[in-house]
Amino acid sequence: MERTASAGRPQCPPARATTRIPLAVLAATALAVAAPLAAQEYPAKPVRIIIGFPPGGATDLVSRLMAPKYTGLLNQQFIVDNRPGANGVIGSDLAAKAAPDGTVIHLATIGSLVLSPATSKVP
């Protein structure tokens, strides 16, 4: 039986009871959606580290030190891809046009990301 207020109108159920069911449904939905995502391995294919400078520079050295560590950590090959020219803009352009699948890392300097686009026409 429903409890009634003194004026004869039905009383609203307590707030706790009305919020438990939607929260339970929301949690179940989140778990159902997250389960297939958690099963996916990253990365699924080799990862390219794009560098806009020639081999032997600081960015190349850092990337060549990083690649074997990440290869061992994630059990996937990391490939260093040097694309020198135009103060790093060629490498930045290549990374910007790459497929957004998470298999491209762009290692750059402030010159190729901020200064070159601010001072010259870039593709």
Side-chain angles (χ1 to χ4, degrees), residues 49-66 80 82 88 106-110 112:
I49 303 173
I50 298 177
I51 301 162
F53 299 98
T59 52
D60 182 62
L61 177 66
V62 168
S63 66
R64 291 188 190 276
L65 291 172
M66 282 179 11
V80 177
N82 292 88
H106 181 222
L107 190 61
T109 63
I110 192 169
S112 62

Side-chain angles (χ1 to χ4, degrees), residues 21-64:
I21 293 172
L23 287 178
V25 170
L26 180 64
T29 304
L31 289 174
V33 170
L37 296 177
Q40 295 177 356
E41 293 289 326
Y42 174 81
K45 60 183 184 177
V47 177
R48 269 191 337 171
I49 303 173
I50 298 177
I51 301 162
F53 299 98
T59 52
D60 182 62
L61 177 66
V62 168
S63 66
R64 291 188 190 276

